[in-house]
Amino acid sequence: MATQTIMMPASPTPSMIQKAEGTIASAFASLEADNFVLPPRFKELKKEIWKENLVQAWKEILEELELRTNEIISQGGQIIPQINYAGLSRGLTPEQEAQVRKTGVIVVKGAVPKEEALAWKQDVKDYATENKERVKGFPAGNIQVYEFYNTKSQVRGRTHPAILETQKQLLSLWGTSDSSTEISLTTPISYFDRVRIRQPGDTAFTLGPHVDGGSIERWEDPGYRLCFKSILEGRWKEHNPFDASPRINAKSDLYGGASQCSAFRPWQGWTSMSTTGPNEGTLRVLPMLALSTAYIMLRPFFRPKSTSNPDAPSLKFDDWELDLSSTAFPGATLGGGLELREKTHPHLRLDKTMISIPKVEPGDQVYWHCDVVHAVESQHRGEGDSSVLYIPAVPLTEYNATYLRQQRENFVAGLPAPDFPGGEGESNNTNRGSRDDIITKLGLQAFGFEPFEAKDTNNTAFIHKVNVILAVGA
Ligand SMILES: [Fe+2]
């Protein structure tokens, strides 16, 4: 299969060169982001993007944020939509859909039987014991997040029919403003990520509020910037976070950052392998999608006046001024995610608006939109482990198929997935996952082992193209 001559797309193409070895710690920017100074060219970038009407937009966004942050604070965990898998597979009600679109987050209950998810966790533990000389993770010596991409449990989770069906439903909330966009939002494919088994008391694995999918790229890459066109033109209320058309050409990883996702990943997500509630080391989200994006995108163009306390800037519009003279894009680095702090993004009131995911059971899934600000609780004060398989919802696109091909090759060889820190990975491990662990056709397709099928004449050419990229069935 791999030796077949195939036509590769001109661009973009994932690097065939492995990233440096590492763990999830490579993705932490926390301290670095606070003091990061961008090169002078970013001052020019600000001037290039700037439009006079952004002052009015900024004023409106600050007003709206005051209302929305109060709403989030008063509702707390209630604000996060929780939907039963049975209901989701029939389709969301209009109210549920509106809630998911507004918050950008969803908890899907009961898709995978509890015992099955618990068995996945046990298998990961057994695999870690069996291969203990070669196991890597974070923190070294007391691993909470494993550098595992190729375990049998991950293969089973990624190809589980109910998980793939959940993803199909969630991807279908996205649409295309350009009908010629080459994408299948009804075809979830597999995007490999790690495993977390976080023990009670752990304080090492903590991630402050951030957005993945690159950071400065949102402004610097012309394709990525198009995803936020209406915001950057001052028409922030028209921003549609669910338009896939501009996203498929966005470059979110201009600097080859460790663990930065180069694929188009509309929904980040995990499937729980434990009973875990707030304060038990779980995920926290800012349940506000379009409005927080509008704020984040305009934030670099404004700064608190020098009379303001730098550690606790005033939230009043009049206490802020235009900043086109510095290179500041607060929270952005080259090669990291976008980090948000109370002092850099004070209007989001992150100390009160980051909401913990309500209690989940093994087999429940959580997904959050790729623009949603999220974090991991700094402490795990629970009694049991807080464990997840990171499984996002990713659709079929030309770039994603190219990535999938390389991911498949790495999987067969037991190497880490292409976006992640490199090295020998699990290549010398015993009992890792293989193609034989995939028992459904949809699962084999999601891994890139079997050809995709055109659902109607509109996408025949596209499906043929991705099958050629994957060198399957062609
Ligand atoms: Fe993240």
Side-chain angles (χ1 to χ4, degrees):
M1 190 188 316
T3 53
Q4 208 169 325
T5 305
I6 60 153
M7 203 172 66
M8 297 293 280
S11 69
T13 308
S15 166
M16 298 302 159
I17 301 164
Q18 270 203 327
K19 292 185 178 180
E21 238 175 300
T23 65
I24 197 169
S26 334
F28 296 168
S30 304
L31 289 172
E32 195 194 352
D34 286 351
N35 302 309
F36 197 84
V37 179
L38 291 164
R41 70 173 187 276
F42 289 98
K43 189 168 26 175
E44 299 311 313
L45 179 65
K46 274 206 235 189
K47 286 182 184 154
E48 188 190 320
I49 298 172
W50 173 252
K51 287 191 165 45
E52 285 302 326
N53 64 352
L54 293 182
V55 174
Q56 179 58 27
W58 174 251
K59 186 168 192 276
E60 291 168 9
I61 290 165
L62 297 195
E63 284 165 8
E64 195 71 24
L65 272 172
E66 196 178 337
L67 301 176
R68 180 64 180 161
T69 50
N70 282 334
E71 193 183 356
I72 292 171
I73 294 163
S74 67
Q75 287 194 40
Q78 301 275 353
I79 209 162
I80 294 175
Q82 301 191 51
I83 319 278
N84 284 322
Y85 172 67
L88 178 78
S89 53
R90 287 193 298 269
L92 295 173
T93 66
E95 295 75 29
Q96 289 170 332
E97 186 177 327
Q99 232 185 340
V100 173
R101 287 185 186 278
K102 189 172 181 182
T103 58
V105 59
I106 181 171
V107 178
V108 180
K109 311 284 287 180
V112 177
K114 202 170 171 175
E115 305 69 39
E116 204 171 342
L118 289 172
W120 291 346
K121 180 170 65 182
Q122 189 56 50
D123 284 354
V124 173
K125 287 181 178 173
D126 293 346
Y127 177 78
T129 306
E130 205 174 335
N131 295 288
K132 60 177 181 295
E133 306 81 35
R134 291 174 297 277
V135 173
K136 285 205 182 116
F138 177 85
N142 182 26
I143 296 175
Q144 313 289 321
V145 181
Y146 289 89
E147 286 300 301
F148 288 158
Y149 302 88
N150 302 313
T151 66
K152 288 183 189 296
S153 298
Q154 285 162 302
V155 176
R156 288 176 185 136
R158 291 165 188 151
T159 59
H160 193 285
I163 290 183
L164 288 174
E165 176 61 25
T166 301
Q167 294 172 354
K168 192 172 146 189
Q169 293 291 339
L170 295 182
L171 290 172
S172 66
L173 293 178
W174 286 67
T176 50
S177 56
D178 175 352
S179 59
S180 68
T181 307
E182 292 191 311
I183 190 167
S184 174
L185 290 164
T186 51
T187 309
I189 62 164
S190 201
Y191 180 86
F192 290 19
D193 204 324
R194 304 177 172 93
V195 184
R196 180 181 89 208
I197 300 182
R198 192 177 183 196
Q199 301 300 335
D202 173 63
T203 54
F205 177 59
T206 171
L207 282 170
H210 67 281
V211 193
D212 294 299
S215 59
I216 194 65
E217 287 87 347
R218 286 175 172 77
W219 297 271
E220 188 180 12
D221 177 59
Y224 207 166
R225 206 190 303 157
L226 276 180
C227 304
F228 311 106
K229 187 172 189 278
S230 47
I231 297 171
L232 294 172
E233 289 180 349
R235 298 175 288 109
W236 65 279
K237 286 185 181 163
E238 293 169 31
H239 173 59
N240 175 10
F242 294 93
D243 181 8
S245 292
R247 303 259 176 180
I248 64 165
N249 294 314
K251 292 194 183 70
S252 55
D253 184 21
L254 291 178
Y255 299 93
S259 304
Q260 284 304 309
C261 176
S262 68
F264 171 40
R265 179 177 55 172
W267 294 99
Q268 295 183 253
W270 48 248
T271 298
S272 183
M273 299 188 294
S274 58
T275 302
T276 302
N279 299 315
E280 295 178 348
T282 195
L283 177 78
R284 302 170 79 208
V285 293
L286 174 63
M288 178 201 314
L289 177 53
L291 181 58
S292 64
T293 304
Y295 174 73
I296 289 167
M297 291 306 296
L298 295 194
R299 171 66 185 85
F301 303 97
F302 300 91
R303 66 185 166 208
K305 287 181 177 167
S306 55
T307 47
S308 198
N309 174 356
D311 291 323
S314 160
L315 302 188
K316 286 189 195 137
F317 169 78
D318 290 338
D319 291 336
W320 287 64
E321 64 186 10
L322 192 58
D323 175 12
L324 297 178
S325 60
S326 82
T327 63
F329 281 76
T333 57
L334 306 183
L338 186 68
E339 305 252 340
L340 295 96
R341 300 282 173 268
E342 282 152 45
K343 69 177 181 184
T344 59
H345 294 79
H347 301 90
L348 296 178
R349 302 173 69 193
L350 297 168
D351 57 333
K352 297 194 175 69
T353 55
M354 292 297 293
I355 305 294
S356 295
I357 295 296
K359 187 174 174 182
V360 290
E361 298 293 340
D364 292 347
Q365 304 163 79
V366 176
Y367 293 89
W368 61 102
H369 185 287
C370 51
D371 291 340
V372 159
V373 178
H374 58 285
V376 179
E377 286 177 346
S378 56
Q379 283 194 17
H380 178 353
R381 299 201 189 95
E383 305 273 298
D385 59 77
S386 159
S387 304
V388 304
L389 296 178
Y390 291 102
I391 308 179
V394 173
L396 187 59
T397 68
E398 183 178 345
Y399 178 84
N400 285 358
T402 310
Y403 184 86
L404 183 62
R405 178 190 162 104
Q406 186 62 35
Q407 179 180 269
R408 179 190 68 199
E409 305 303 312
N410 288 15
F411 170 63
V412 171
L415 299 171
D419 274 344
F420 293 86
E424 66 167 41
E426 297 155 81
S427 57
N428 293 312
N429 285 3
T430 53
N431 238 344
R432 66 171 197 260
S434 75
R435 179 184 173 141
D436 295 342
D437 296 306
I438 308 172
I439 53 170
T440 64
K441 186 175 175 184
L442 280 180
L444 286 165
Q445 289 173 329
F447 266 55
F449 283 119
E450 288 282 332
F452 295 100
E453 286 153 22
K455 296 194 176 79
D456 56 59
T457 51
N458 288 338
N459 72 351
T460 309
F462 168 62
I463 295 297
H464 176 71
K465 189 195 277 188
V466 296
N467 285 338
V468 170
I469 291 169
L470 286 158
V472 282

